[in-house]
Amino acid sequence: MTQNASSFPPLACVILAAGQGTRMKSDLPKVLHPVAGASMISHVLAACAVLSPTHVVVVVGPDGKEIEQVVAPVSCVVQKKPLGTGDAVKAARKMLDGFTGDVVILFGDGPLITTESIQALQRKRQESKAAIVVAGFRLENPGPYGRLITDKAGKLTGIVEACEATSEQKEIGLCNGGAMLFDGARMWKLLDALKDDNAKKEFFLTDCVALAQKEGGAALEVIPSDDVLGVNTRIELAQAEKIMQRRLREKAMLAGATMTDPDSVFLCADTRIGRDVTIGPNVVFGPGVEIGDRVDIRAFCAIERARIEAGAIVGPFARIRPESYIGAGVHIGNFVEIKNSRIDAGAKINHLSYIGDATVGEKANIGAGTITCNYDGFRKMRTHIGAGAFIGSNSALVAPVAIGDGAYVGAGSVITNEVPAGTLAVARGRQANIEGWAERVRDGKGDKG
Amino acid sequence: MTQNASSFPPLACVILAAGQGTRMKSDLPKVLHPVAGASMISHVLAACAVLSPTHVVVVVGPDGKEIEQVVAPVSCVVQKKPLGTGDAVKAARKMLDGFTGDVVILFGDGPLITTESIQALQRKRQESKAAIVVAGFRLENPGPYGRLITDKAGKLTGIVEACEATSEQKEIGLCNGGAMLFDGARMWKLLDALKDDNAKKEFFLTDCVALAQKEGGAALEVIPSDDVLGVNTRIELAQAEKIMQRRLREKAMLAGATMTDPDSVFLCADTRIGRDVTIGPNVVFGPGVEIGDRVDIRAFCAIERARIEAGAIVGPFARIRPESYIGAGVHIGNFVEIKNSRIDAGAKINHLSYIGDATVGEKANIGAGTITCNYDGFRKMRTHIGAGAFIGSNSALVAPVAIGDGAYVGAGSVITNEVPAGTLAVARGRQANIEGWAERVRDGKGDKG
Amino acid sequence: MTQNASSFPPLACVILAAGQGTRMKSDLPKVLHPVAGASMISHVLAACAVLSPTHVVVVVGPDGKEIEQVVAPVSCVVQKKPLGTGDAVKAARKMLDGFTGDVVILFGDGPLITTESIQALQRKRQESKAAIVVAGFRLENPGPYGRLITDKAGKLTGIVEACEATSEQKEIGLCNGGAMLFDGARMWKLLDALKDDNAKKEFFLTDCVALAQKEGGAALEVIPSDDVLGVNTRIELAQAEKIMQRRLREKAMLAGATMTDPDSVFLCADTRIGRDVTIGPNVVFGPGVEIGDRVDIRAFCAIERARIEAGAIVGPFARIRPESYIGAGVHIGNFVEIKNSRIDAGAKINHLSYIGDATVGEKANIGAGTITCNYDGFRKMRTHIGAGAFIGSNSALVAPVAIGDGAYVGAGSVITNEVPAGTLAVARGRQANIEGWAERVRDGKGDKG
């Protein structure tokens, strides 16, 4: 599917992330807003990484510290003043010193770019020998997008902003997708020739296309319009999320997962799902989830940083929190929370339970309403439940505590001491019946129950 | 955005709500069916209220008592017999006695009309001096809608029902949206001239357009087609809900809230959401919710009549019920219900708990499975938990009861008496271990656990 | 709506289910993948059953045992080798010996076919007297579908595969829907004339159209494109689910149910819903659910094999499991699981409870956190709670056990013995307060709570 990267010249990736993103109405830098569980810029970096680039540079603004931390160890350079996209790319010059391969310019707020589309730009450059390849896309109503102007031979001669387009040019349905790929050997000369003699007093990267006409010309590669979606508002962020989710869902379904309602299943880019897995409506996967074959995940589940082995049944209404391991054939039922625990094969935790910082042995049965009391207000401590143990309903297991293999805890017990293997433990009050009480209460003589 | 109302003539609003709504298959009057948490007619009234009308009149049918109660203190008049829309407006005559400003006619089953569209009608009347302004809308396939007939100058000359339209008229894509704005000084004369010489023996308000040709003419104002959606079936009710929800979601996102999946977030018209709030998939807001800045509401939450302060984390799987206050930085976790309670800053209620009729002090920690026993079968009573208190998991707090500041309740306790500040309270049975029990049970000699 | 079946000739249904479905990436035979809670093939069988066919035959492949079990008592025949659709139908010959009525050929992976569409084929055959009626459908961009070739009189003369179509034929928007209805008297002669002289070396049923030109001709009946959707991948399975759900939701809404967000309500083909029922967002109905009038089902509920009587309130966050009966006016609240239980009229179970294998009497009140301990690790046992009983919060009822009418269980009790009518039962530890403990712990001298 992906062409062998080695057939192309070396690749450098410059990712622009200096925009302020005021329309996001946020204290978080725009490119760090998440899509499918990861920051937008990390999706761009991931699409690049598949191609094994020799250089990757992120261009940030003066307040880019937060971005630098997220993208590390990828290198960042600072664009000191917002003097336009052309100026931003120049900020990467020192990092690309002497590089003469292909340089692709991408956008940190464009999380939907795919490896396939970058490869298409590489391929077009190889075929066309042009100084620049511009990613174009088609829209029926291109509205505010810059239009791509081509000559009769289909070569790209210029990019015109919508606001400056003639009415004839406005009829062009071919738009500027933003992403561009330069011949690194000719790039700096073009950038140095850029001028800021425009209303905004900025250096526009798009002006390189006109300048390149004498330097080998510019070529055009049409890529899917989804790939170039740029995010400037939370509405566009939600659109990007929607497209990314659709991609992830379709990939999972084609690999053999059934989703009753794919539109309500939320995946992360790193979610791994086996074959003959069924996923009900309204399931939310956070980062770091691996699902084995034939797992049945029912409606209304939230799962994060967990591995679920083959044949397990989870939900409805289950929450699996980070660092959890759910063994083969385990049943996790409704209103159950599992956190930082290992549940071994065949164990059942079917109802209203909290199992945190615990290990549960094979085929153990945890009754409804069981709570592991893992926190005493000072420290978190662990609970061990042995293989084949039976924990009666509504029990509290006060950690640190161990329940042996095959042990049995009576319903409603508060277990504070070890229960050896095969032992029955009961820890609850004795029942006292006070006859005729209801009648006396009705007469105003009863106590509070 | 909204033009200063004072630049227009005084406004009267007549809202027609006498239709029987048999296709709703319901015992509830049609205009009382809810959209975004409020009755359809209340949305129409709210769109009017922004314009400070001098008169608002709702026209109901003979069985309109329920509607009168909902819209009070807005006045209602009764249309005694279902003799058509023209007759319905006449029922409002006494209430508008002597009024010579603008009279807008709206529909109680058209909950999507906006203040902006009513203003557009007002503006058009001011500019055109026409006796009537009709709200039109465009559809590619107008099907059953009445078509608006205009002359060469673009003036409206008539409205023709789809069933009576010539094939040439059927090609017209401009439809009658229903809403109309009359010059109050000329309105009653037009209404008095209406005739019921048609198949249905009804007085049609739309016939005023033809009659108005000699009284200053009629004008047309095209408004968005969403605004004029009329609800006659539950399917159309669901469509209205969908459009209303989209409007509310987009408003919240543009103001700085991130929604992973806006399509699964349900808002009410009065929901207030701060900046840098994140809302996961499947969150349902009932009426009366205020969310502060930087609140994180995770997947699967239902929240109603509650205030949530800045930086709080809620969910997944949390339900916040009416009259609840969630302080700054509070954590409300999974399978937790909060009802009629005040949770102060920094407190944590992370798992499987019911906190009802309670106050929880700052930084208190409520363990998993904690239940406030607020009802004894006769009365509801309150629980007070002090600042920094620690409630061990699976405890029951039997109200009325107070847990002092910094007090500590042992896991699995049933607390019926006050726990003074700094005190440890334990109220549970002692643990007894019966060794070898499991083996004996297997041999048929054990008791029930 | 449905024409009287008796006006048509006798009907036989042949359902092809021998395809291997490798693109499903599944161990489950393709036609057994579920849509709306039932296998795809069962939907096809249900659409046929309404028409009271005299014969129904399912054609399976050599590994069809699983399918045979699901469709029983419907008869199956085995197509031994995958020699094409024409060969598959021939496998049914013995079962249809001597039958001369209409034979409709349907597809087990086409779950959306409707009774109405089959009737349309019957009607067309009756009118046209053609040997074959082919179900056609229209698409704007028919892409890979076979095109239907008609003569000037509109009679069907052939079917051409997309890959073999001329560019002129590719412009045809009328496609082959797959379903066909044969005159049983002429069918075997046509099938016997089929040849496998094509690239795939298969006998194509569609070739019968050309062969039929000398046997009375072929007719065309255009049916909705949804009806002929064939499922080959999990993505198409999700599309079929979506269309089926839309049909079921619209039917329920037109019958008088309000759905805030129909797109998030999942129904089964057998779900029965009363009038003035309201259903919030995100409700999942499994098989076998009946909902009475005026029931209010709130957001986030999962309900399966249960009857819910008039005026009950369920959810949010409730799970009703199989064999449950929820009486009139009952309230089932959040994080509550009901399993195999009868809850009588007016009872309330509002919070965080598990009620399994129980009966709950009229107007009983079950406190928050109540657990029926119905399983002791060996057997499932029953709990009886009398009318008007009050179960204090966080109680465990250890089955088998009976709580009498009007009895009262103190909060936090573990009830192991009968509580007679009108009796107060308390079964919990006494509270001990240890003052100054928190301070000593801070100094490192306290015990674990």
Side-chain angles (χ1 to χ4, degrees), chain A residues 253-254 256-258 260-261 263 275-276 282 300 316-317 334 351 365 390 399 408 430-434 437-438, chain C residues 25-27 234 238 241-242 266 282 300 317 319 337 375-377 408 416-418 422 424-427 441 448:
Chain A
M253 286 191 284
L254 288 177
T258 286
T260 310
D261 178 40
D263 291 350
R275 176 184 156 118
D276 272 340
N282 299 302
F300 309 115
F317 302 106
N334 41 214
H351 338 250
N365 189 308
F390 180 92
Y408 193 108
R430 284 227 155 257
Q431 179 174 344
N433 281 0
I434 302 165
W437 180 87
Chain C
K25 303 266 173 75
S26 180
D27 296 334
R234 308 254 187 175
E241 181 79 46
K242 195 166 195 164
F266 296 87
N282 299 302
F300 309 115
F317 302 106
R319 185 182 185 199
E337 172 186 0
Y375 180 57
D376 66 357
Y408 193 107
T416 51
N417 300 314
E418 183 185 354
L424 164 67
V426 180
V441 167
K448 182 175 80 169

Side-chain angles (χ1 to χ4, degrees), chain C residues 337-361:
Chain C
E337 172 186 0
I338 308 287
K339 187 211 91 175
N340 187 27
S341 292
R342 176 181 180 91
I343 316 297
D344 279 324
K348 293 185 183 175
I349 309 171
N350 274 331
H351 338 251
L352 293 121
S353 291
Y354 169 53
I355 303 297
D357 302 321
T359 54
V360 175

Side-chain angles (χ1 to χ4, degrees), chain B residues 284-289 302-306 319-324:
Chain B
V284 179
F285 294 96
V289 175
I303 303 174
E304 188 179 353
R305 293 224 312 270
R319 185 183 185 199
I320 314 288
R321 293 175 57 196
E323 318 317 334
S324 292

Side-chain angles (χ1 to χ4, degrees), chain A residues 191-407:
Chain A
L191 287 170
D192 286 334
L194 286 176
K195 291 189 178 147
D196 66 350
D197 53 355
N198 52 51
K200 283 185 153 182
K201 296 272 171 213
E202 292 186 2
F203 298 94
F204 295 130
L205 195 60
T206 45
D207 288 347
C208 290
V209 169
L211 295 170
Q213 298 304 312
K214 297 175 190 162
E215 301 288 340
L220 164 66
E221 177 69 23
V222 177
I223 66 174
S225 61
D226 280 355
D227 283 33
V228 300
L229 176 72
V231 170
N232 292 300
T233 66
R234 308 256 186 173
I235 291 178
E236 288 164 349
L237 183 69
Q239 288 165 349
E241 180 80 44
K242 195 166 193 163
I243 294 166
M244 184 69 84
Q245 290 297 340
R246 194 182 62 224
R247 289 180 181 172
L248 296 171
R249 291 161 187 157
E250 292 194 347
K251 196 174 138 198
M253 286 191 284
L254 288 177
T258 286
M259 300 182 184
T260 310
D261 178 40
D263 291 350
S264 69
V265 175
F266 295 87
L267 300 160
C268 280
D270 67 352
T271 311
R272 287 166 57 184
I273 298 178
R275 176 184 156 118
D276 272 340
V277 168
T278 60
I279 301 175
N282 299 302
V283 173
V284 179
F285 294 95
V289 175
E290 289 179 53
I291 307 287
D293 291 345
R294 296 180 311 284
V295 169
D296 181 9
I297 300 182
R298 297 178 176 172
F300 309 115
C301 287
I303 303 174
E304 189 179 352
R305 294 223 311 270
R307 169 150 188 87
I308 301 180
E309 297 287 359
I313 299 174
V314 175
F317 302 106
R319 185 184 185 197
I320 314 288
R321 293 175 57 196
E323 318 319 331
S324 292
Y325 172 88
I326 309 296
V330 164
H331 291 196
I332 304 289
N334 41 214
F335 317 123
V336 172
E337 172 187 359
I338 308 288
K339 188 211 93 176
N340 186 28
S341 293
R342 177 182 178 89
I343 316 297
D344 278 325
K348 293 185 183 176
I349 309 172
N350 273 331
H351 338 250
L352 293 121
S353 291
Y354 168 54
I355 302 297
D357 302 321
T359 53
V360 175
E362 282 191 19
K363 295 194 180 168
N365 189 308
I366 311 296
T370 297
I371 304 286
T372 53
C373 311
N374 58 323
Y375 181 57
D376 66 357
F378 308 95
R379 295 154 299 165
K380 296 266 163 107
M381 289 154 304
R382 295 197 65 85
T383 299
H384 294 274
I385 299 174
F390 180 92
I391 309 298
S393 296
N394 222 16
S395 292
L397 309 178
V398 184
V401 73
I403 314 292
D405 289 353

Side-chain angles (χ1 to χ4, degrees), chain B residues 25-27 234 241-242 266 282 300 317 319 337 375-377 408 416-418 422 424-427 441 448, chain C residues 253-254 256-258 260-261 263 275-276 282 300 316-317 334 351 365 390 398 408 430-434 437-438:
Chain B
K25 304 267 174 76
S26 180
D27 297 334
R234 309 256 186 173
E241 181 79 44
K242 195 165 195 165
F266 295 87
N282 298 303
F300 308 116
F317 302 108
R319 185 183 185 199
E337 171 187 1
Y375 181 57
D376 65 358
Y408 192 108
T416 52
N417 301 314
E418 184 185 351
L424 165 67
V426 181
V441 167
K448 181 174 79 169
Chain C
M253 287 192 282
L254 288 178
T258 286
T260 309
D261 179 40
D263 291 350
R275 176 182 156 119
D276 273 339
N282 299 302
F300 309 115
F317 302 106
N334 41 215
H351 338 251
N365 189 308
F390 180 92
V398 184
Y408 193 107
R430 284 226 155 258
Q431 180 175 343
N433 282 359
I434 302 164
W437 180 87

